[in-house]
Amino acid sequence: MIEKKTILDRYRGEFFEGEWPSIIEMLNLNTHRYGERPAFSHFEGNTKHSITYSELLERVYGVATFLKSKGIKKGDRIVLNGKNSPAWGISYLGIQAIGAVVVPLDNQLESERVDALSLFSEARAIFADSDVLEKSEATFEFRVSLTTSSNSDFIDFSTIKGAKKAPAPLPTENDLAAILFTSGTTGNEKGVVLTHGNFMSNAFQASDPNFLNFTYEDVFYGLLPLHHSYSMTAVFLEAIKQGSELIFGHSLAVSKVISEMRNGKISLFLAIPLLYNKFLAGLMKKVREKGAVAYALIRTLMVVNGFLRKVFKINPGRRWFHQLLDGIGMASNRICICGGGPLSPKTFQQYQQLGLDFIQGYGLTETAPILTLNPVSRFKVKSVGKVLPLIEMRIDEPDLLGVGEVLVKGPNVCQGYYKDPQNTAELFTEDGFLKTGDLGHLDKENYLYLKGRAKNLIVTEGGKNVYPEEIEDHFQLYGEIDQVLVRGYMANKAAKAEGIEALIYPNIDYFDGKGSDYVTREIDKIVREVNKKLVAYKKIDKTTILEKPMEMTTTKKIQRNKVARTIGRLLGSS
């Protein structure tokens, strides 16, 4: 049984009713438990600024009181569009404290899309950074600037005063909490409708001690955009659920991230494959610079530590590699979690060998989002994790290898899409399981192994199924390549059979000053190396080198349907 039996049963009837607390009820509960502990922090240069849980709750109730004075009521939608900051977090919670619904939008969206989604969601007001407000032409009853602005049409967030009490009854588990517009890899946004119970049930499942062992003493790092469901639940809401400190990150620049992780003594780091690959590549580059002997010694020690962890359950690597880990800001890290996309098993394994509890998981915006996690003590390198305690998962129409579409049911599954009955109906099976659109298989211990998206499947002339994501994984640790997308192309129109093409955008910094012939030779060399690792029917038979990067989401997933816009040959095909 998950942790809720030991924590929630103690406070049920006092701070909340029902099975799960709402987000605000959870904040209220943990303010009671940890009121004087730091809640939200951020860095200005090397100076850290913090507010406690008691101060946070007053600020949250202040926003709720302000909204009530503006006529906002339960169920009203309010857009939130800003960079990660304490002001963003306070606004998010304050909107929900009055029973209103947050519509968090991607801060990198074009202003036309912000306006269109604001109109579609029928938002009455907007909280946003001043640059977003300046560009917006949508009609709102009022606009609140999260950052300093000289525009008198905007209400300055810093002028909203705190309050000791909430102005209305707090929302409960069945109330709508947020509408999350999925950027996804298709670029076609859908508004996912999620309740307080969806979010909090997911936060409690993810922190089950059988999977992870979070405590109120942990320090979370809000680095990825918080509008995204992965960061929203696994970082922002998990910190509130634990009563932990959350440090807001402002930049994805590696040097800035390393500095903030080191100075903030971050113990829980959640990121995407791109960042983890960059950190690992930088670390190994420094090791190589120490010379061949030092490099060989460290790689040997890594393998030895990996063996000791697996066989004897001991981890001397934290001592052996402390200096190396400090160099990438991870000396204080207890757990690293990777989500938002597939991670190469080789990357996963090397972090484990360095002594870090490094795990990965899987989920969807529609499931708030986490469905599987690798338990810290029983992880499987090639799996995206074990199915969470309250999730029912099955594989639809499995093939001879057990691979089929992943279907799920559980308390964190959304109600559907906002004002979109057709797509909502298509999202679920007749017996109420959500269709993920992902292909995978389960082992006997209920660990999930993903193959890729059903719609990305390539069918070769020999009738073989090829999952492009599996091939793309082999390129993750090549610093010469910035982006890679594997897709099918019509190799034989008569047989309607597909060949396999790799679209590659080179790392411009790596090839700076190098001629086009050199770039072609190096990319071809890498493709040949990858092909040697693949069975015959999975080998890449066409390579296209791009002159422009492919469009990506804010979690650095390539938007596959927009690839055609960026396909222009830099050097031709080989």
Side-chain angles (χ1 to χ4, degrees):
M1 184 56 66
I2 68 172
E3 184 190 1
K4 68 171 185 168
K5 288 299 180 185
T6 61
I7 297 295
L8 297 187
D9 285 351
R10 190 186 312 165
Y11 294 100
R12 187 178 286 108
E14 181 182 1
F15 287 92
F16 70 99
E17 303 291 341
E19 186 172 14
W20 306 100
S22 68
I23 295 167
I24 304 305
E25 288 172 331
M26 194 70 224
L27 174 62
N28 198 10
L29 189 162
N30 272 336
T31 300
H32 167 75
R33 299 171 73 196
Y34 308 116
E36 299 313 307
R37 289 186 57 81
F40 288 175
S41 302
H42 71 284
F43 280 96
E44 292 181 3
N46 291 322
T47 303
K48 181 180 172 185
H49 303 273
S50 301
I51 60 172
T52 67
Y53 269 90
S54 293
E55 292 168 334
L56 171 60
L57 190 63
E58 284 192 19
R59 297 289 302 278
V60 167
Y61 285 169
V63 170
T65 301
F66 160 78
L67 291 173
K68 184 178 181 180
S69 73
K70 290 290 185 179
I72 299 298
K73 59 186 183 300
K74 183 177 181 179
D76 287 341
R77 273 78 62 201
I78 297 180
V79 167
L80 176 58
N81 187 341
K83 296 181 178 67
N84 291 5
S85 68
W88 189 101
I90 293 165
S91 300
Y92 178 98
L93 296 167
I95 293 166
Q96 292 180 339
I98 201 170
V101 180
V102 185
V103 183
L105 296 182
D106 184 348
N107 191 246
Q108 295 183 22
L109 276 180
E110 295 178 352
S111 57
E112 291 81 3
R113 292 306 303 153
V114 173
D115 290 349
L117 293 175
S118 299
L119 178 64
F120 178 71
S121 62
E122 301 175 280
R124 292 184 60 185
I126 183 171
F127 285 61
D129 292 346
S130 59
D131 61 328
V132 174
L133 297 180
E134 293 287 355
K135 296 174 184 176
S136 174
E137 297 181 359
T139 300
F140 296 100
E141 294 178 23
F142 59 92
R143 301 166 185 247
V144 178
S145 178
L146 301 176
T147 53
T148 302
S149 173
S150 59
N151 193 322
S152 60
D153 292 333
F154 307 155
I155 297 168
D156 191 331
F157 175 81
S158 65
T159 64
I160 299 176
K161 297 180 180 180
K164 294 291 185 181
K165 294 182 179 180
L170 298 179
T172 59
E173 61 182 321
N174 294 320
D175 289 322
L176 184 59
I179 299 172
L180 304 188
F181 283 96
T182 61
S183 55
T185 55
T186 64
N188 302 315
E189 300 105 333
K190 299 184 187 74
V192 179
V193 176
L194 292 161
T195 66
H196 286 265
N198 290 149
F199 283 120
M200 292 314 300
S201 67
N202 200 228
F204 272 90
Q205 288 183 80
S207 59
D208 184 292
N210 290 318
F211 287 81
L212 302 171
N213 188 22
F214 296 156
T215 78
Y216 65 89
E217 295 179 316
D218 279 311
V219 180
F220 287 76
Y221 190 34
L223 177 63
L224 300 179
L226 288 171
H227 78 275
H228 191 274
S229 61
Y230 170 43
S231 188
M232 181 180 293
T233 297
V235 181
F236 183 74
L237 297 180
E238 195 67 61
I240 291 170
K241 178 260 170 189
Q242 293 296 143
S244 302
E245 180 182 6
L246 170 60
I247 296 178
F248 291 84
H250 298 294
S251 170
L252 286 175
V254 173
S255 60
K256 180 70 171 175
V257 172
I258 291 174
S259 173
E260 291 186 344
M261 285 204 299
R262 183 186 292 123
N263 293 335
K265 300 188 184 305
I266 303 296
S267 62
L268 291 166
F269 183 50
L270 295 90
I272 54 178
L274 177 69
L275 277 176
Y276 283 120
N277 286 328
K278 280 189 174 183
F279 285 152
L280 185 61
L283 184 149
M284 298 314 295
K285 179 182 178 181
K286 289 181 179 179
V287 172
R288 287 189 182 92
E289 290 173 352
K290 296 178 182 292
V293 174
Y295 178 76
L297 175 61
I298 289 173
R299 291 294 288 121
T300 300
L301 287 174
M302 287 173 62
V303 172
V304 169
N305 191 55
F307 174 79
L308 293 174
R309 295 192 69 180
K310 184 175 182 179
V311 177
F312 298 105
K313 309 300 180 185
I314 58 175
N315 184 17
R318 295 299 301 235
R319 298 192 309 275
W320 295 351
F321 307 121
H322 182 274
Q323 187 174 353
L324 285 176
L325 293 174
D326 188 58
I328 55 173
M330 291 187 175
S332 299
N333 277 56
R334 284 201 314 110
I335 299 172
C336 295
I337 301 176
C338 184
L343 180 73
S344 166
K346 186 175 180 181
T347 303
F348 188 179
Q349 187 175 47
Q350 288 187 21
Y351 273 104
Q352 290 282 357
Q353 290 174 342
L354 285 166
L356 293 171
D357 283 331
F358 188 95
I359 63 172
Q360 60 179 327
Y362 158 71
L364 309 168
T365 301
E366 290 84 347
T367 59
I370 308 169
L371 292 168
T372 68
L373 274 176
N374 260 297
V376 169
S377 60
R378 302 184 313 283
F379 63 87
K380 297 186 180 183
V381 171
K382 295 184 179 181
S383 170
V384 292
K386 187 178 177 69
V387 180
L388 292 183
L390 301 181
I391 298 296
E392 186 178 352
M393 181 178 288
R394 75 180 189 216
I395 305 300
D396 190 43
E397 298 183 357
D399 61 18
L400 294 176
L401 298 176
V403 176
E405 184 178 7
V406 179
L407 306 180
V408 297
K409 183 186 287 188
N412 48 307
V413 172
C414 72
Q415 298 179 349
Y417 298 120
Y418 183 69
K419 291 166 52 174
D420 192 348
Q422 180 178 345
N423 278 311
T424 295
E426 294 174 358
L427 183 62
F428 297 97
T429 63
E430 290 184 0
D431 58 348
F433 277 78
L434 181 141
K435 305 173 189 175
T436 68
D438 290 313
L439 299 173
H441 68 89
L442 291 165
D443 67 15
K444 293 180 180 179
E445 296 181 289
N446 225 24
Y447 283 74
L448 178 64
Y449 298 78
L450 286 182
K451 292 295 184 179
R453 295 289 290 173
K455 61 189 174 185
N456 298 337
L457 183 68
I458 301 169
V459 181
T460 68
E461 189 169 6
K464 296 287 190 179
N465 290 342
V466 176
Y467 307 100
E469 293 88 346
E470 289 187 326
I471 300 174
E472 291 166 358
D473 285 350
H474 288 281
F475 289 91
Q476 285 195 15
L477 294 182
Y478 285 100
E480 300 93 327
I481 292 176
D482 192 43
Q483 295 178 327
V484 61
L485 183 145
V486 174
R487 67 175 189 173
Y489 73 96
M490 195 55 65
N492 187 331
K493 292 184 179 179
K496 295 184 178 180
E498 294 180 291
I500 300 173
E501 178 183 21
L503 305 178
I504 294 174
Y505 177 63
N507 183 330
I508 300 302
D509 292 333
Y510 183 92
F511 288 112
D512 185 33
K514 301 290 197 279
S516 61
D517 289 344
Y518 179 83
V519 177
T520 300
R521 287 196 302 271
E522 289 301 300
I523 297 298
D524 284 347
K525 178 182 175 182
I526 291 171
V527 172
R528 288 195 300 272
E529 288 178 3
V530 168
N531 273 341
K532 288 179 183 178
K533 302 172 185 176
L534 303 171
V535 295
Y537 68 88
K538 292 184 179 181
K539 292 185 186 298
I540 297 164
D541 54 44
K542 181 181 180 182
T543 303
T544 300
I545 300 176
L546 306 178
E547 62 179 4
K548 295 180 180 179
M550 292 172 272
E551 292 189 52
M552 304 184 81
T553 69
T554 49
T555 52
K556 306 304 178 184
K557 293 180 184 176
I558 294 172
Q559 294 186 296
R560 289 180 180 265
N561 75 316
K562 295 185 178 181
V563 165
R565 300 180 187 178
T566 60
I567 294 180
R569 294 185 180 179
L570 175 62
L571 306 172
S573 298
S574 58

